[in-house]
Amino acid sequence: MTEQKEPTTVCGPAVTELTVTEPAPLPLTEHNIKTEQCGLLRVYVQGDLDTKGTPGLDGKCVFLTVHDMGSNHTSIMKFINHPTMFQISSRSVFLHVVLPGQEPGAQDLEEDTHFPSMQELGGDLVCVLDQLKIKLVLGLGEGAGANILARFGMLHPSRCLGLVLVHPTSTTAGVMEHFKDKIIGWKLENIGHNPTTEQYLVFHKFGERVMMAKDKEGAMEEFKDKLHEEINPKNLKCYVESFMNRTDISSLLEENLKCDTLLVVGDKSSFLHTTETMYQHTDKSKTSILRIDDVGDVLVEAPGKVAQSILLFCQGIGLLTSVSFVDRMRTLSTNSNDGARRTSLMSMEEYDKPNMKRFSVSGRGEEMEGDK
């Protein structure tokens, strides 16, 4: 049994205000990848694959991303293009997987189309790596996409360097979740986008209490606008049903999820409980959990904190080691829209200790849960 150490707090020097300029967008190319069970998967490659090199050495880090329900690759790209991600994005290549029928302006899927299960999607992601000639990737997934990547990590451990799972879940859908799914599925099929569906997806993305938060209205309206403009409602129904019919992987995690994994969740997220539950079933020497205070959607509301945590996670497993301490400070610039600057950092030496695995981030900085 793995020995777990008592959590401690590590304080760093005060953060100096630094200016982060808007980086130039990375080149984007489209690929159609033939898979064994999922048909064609559309993959957008952000960055130059020819310069990928050897991960952890002189080459770039290769991320494999999978989006949540009600969105597509553009939502993760918005986070990646944020100025606080520059030190990561400028040294990385991103493979954005778009699930069947979820691309902007997609036509209705054929009536007899089999929409793949979460397990089938997790298994077939390796086809993306094989056809693009990528040996190893670091997974970055959100919501339902995080569940798919967790399955990929267990099915193909030799191809997965690590996982960053934002608002993941490992359990099956509950009774009430299934009931809501039936109503939402019927409305998406027969009415299209509607207030009930919007409310469900906003809750899914931003969390329960955010519905009353005035400062989140802009982000919610932008999300609903993109939902109407980009996402085909009948195809979205297929993704929702696949996620609702997911199998429970909790009992498999400790033995089969062998790569280093970072779970990220906002403490106002609808996924808080399910992410905590997933963490309890993992190998604590391999998996850490980051809870960000006072936010629902961490990628929209706290991109700087997530970027800094991803960078530290990558460096802890030997990736992006060329980023200096000063460069890391740049992700904490006041240009970030997180609302508050962090004033302390975890040192790399402490971050690499495998059992310091549970901490939260707030506007005051990082605090270990044991110190609260």
Side-chain angles (χ1 to χ4, degrees):
M1 184 173 178
T2 305
E3 180 184 355
Q4 296 195 38
K5 301 178 182 178
E6 288 295 319
T8 60
T9 299
V10 180
C11 294
V15 176
T16 304
E17 290 189 7
L18 294 169
T19 300
V20 177
T21 57
E22 191 73 29
L26 297 171
L28 192 68
T29 57
E30 180 182 331
H31 302 259
N32 289 314
I33 304 297
K34 186 177 180 180
T35 66
E36 295 179 3
Q37 302 177 85
C38 303
L40 285 177
L41 287 179
R42 186 167 298 186
V43 178
Y44 290 90
V45 176
Q46 186 178 11
D48 190 353
L49 274 178
D50 293 334
T51 62
K52 62 183 181 296
T54 303
L57 297 176
D58 57 343
K60 293 189 174 184
C61 180
V62 181
F63 285 85
L64 179 69
T65 80
V66 184
H67 60 86
D68 196 5
M69 299 185 299
S71 63
N72 48 48
H73 65 293
T74 59
S75 62
I76 294 183
M77 280 181 60
K78 182 177 180 180
F79 166 66
I80 290 168
N81 292 336
H82 192 274
T84 57
M85 277 289 290
F86 176 69
Q87 299 303 330
I88 298 174
S89 64
S90 62
R91 295 168 171 84
S92 303
V93 178
F94 299 87
L95 315 178
H96 301 294
V97 176
V98 181
L99 300 192
Q102 309 304 307
E103 66 272 12
Q107 298 298 310
D108 291 353
L109 294 171
E110 297 291 336
E111 291 292 334
D112 59 349
T113 298
H114 164 68
F115 195 90
S117 67
M118 297 286 104
Q119 189 71 6
E120 289 170 339
L121 287 163
D124 270 6
L125 287 180
V126 73
C127 298
V128 176
L129 277 62
D130 290 341
Q131 292 183 43
L132 294 178
K133 297 179 172 54
I134 304 293
K135 291 183 179 180
L136 294 164
V137 293
L138 194 151
L140 172 61
E142 179 185 13
N147 183 277
I148 293 168
L149 278 172
R151 295 169 190 270
F152 165 75
M154 289 190 290
L155 290 169
H156 304 286
S158 64
R159 309 296 294 275
C160 190
L161 283 168
L163 293 171
V164 178
L165 305 179
V166 180
H167 298 159
T169 179
S170 62
T171 56
T172 57
V175 175
M176 287 306 296
E177 197 175 357
H178 268 299
F179 178 70
K180 290 178 182 177
D181 170 51
K182 295 299 181 185
I183 297 174
I184 290 162
W186 183 87
K187 289 192 173 185
L188 284 170
E189 179 73 28
N190 294 280
I191 302 175
H193 292 300
N194 60 86
T196 302
T197 301
E198 285 180 2
Q199 187 174 9
Y200 168 74
L201 291 171
V202 167
F203 168 73
H204 174 85
K205 184 173 179 62
F206 292 96
E208 183 176 10
R209 283 175 283 174
V210 81
M211 298 299 292
M212 299 178 289
K214 296 293 183 184
D215 61 333
K216 306 301 186 296
E217 286 182 351
M220 288 189 290
E221 287 303 315
E222 181 183 354
F223 172 73
K224 288 189 284 186
D225 287 343
K226 287 180 71 80
L227 188 65
H228 282 272
E229 294 170 5
E230 293 189 358
I231 308 299
N232 181 306
K234 291 186 178 181
N235 298 349
L236 173 58
K237 169 182 174 285
C238 297
Y239 191 6
V240 171
E241 287 181 344
S242 181
F243 180 63
M244 294 301 175
N245 292 325
R246 65 190 182 272
T247 56
D248 193 322
I249 58 173
S250 300
S251 62
L252 306 174
L253 292 170
E254 186 169 9
E255 183 177 350
N256 295 289
L257 190 59
K258 302 181 185 299
C259 64
D260 285 274
T261 303
L262 174 64
L263 311 181
V264 185
V265 65
D267 75 346
K268 292 183 180 179
S269 168
S270 60
F271 285 93
L272 178 59
H273 175 70
T274 56
T275 301
E276 293 276 358
T277 300
M278 182 175 181
Y279 174 71
Q280 293 303 321
H281 287 87
T282 59
D283 179 352
K284 306 305 185 299
S285 69
K286 290 287 187 180
T287 304
S288 57
I289 183 168
L290 172 70
R291 189 173 70 190
I292 302 180
D293 297 338
D294 303 319
V295 300
D297 183 355
V298 296
L299 297 185
V300 171
E301 299 172 60
K305 295 180 177 69
V306 178
Q308 178 71 357
S309 300
I310 290 175
L311 179 54
L312 290 172
F313 174 76
C314 288
Q315 293 187 324
I317 59 176
L319 302 174
L320 303 177
T321 53
S322 63
V323 182
S324 68
F325 180 80
V326 173
D327 288 333
R328 294 202 301 269
M329 295 298 98
R330 296 182 188 279
T331 66
L332 305 179
S333 165
T334 52
N335 280 10
S336 170
N337 62 5
D338 292 11
R341 276 192 299 126
R342 288 166 57 181
T343 56
S344 63
L345 292 172
M346 183 178 294
S347 70
M348 283 307 303
E349 180 182 359
E350 291 295 331
Y351 186 88
D352 288 339
K353 292 182 180 179
N355 292 311
M356 292 180 59
K357 292 294 179 182
R358 187 179 178 86
F359 57 94
S360 66
V361 173
S362 68
R364 298 183 303 274
E366 290 181 0
E367 293 180 348
M368 302 305 297
E369 294 244 325
D371 298 329
K372 291 187 176 180

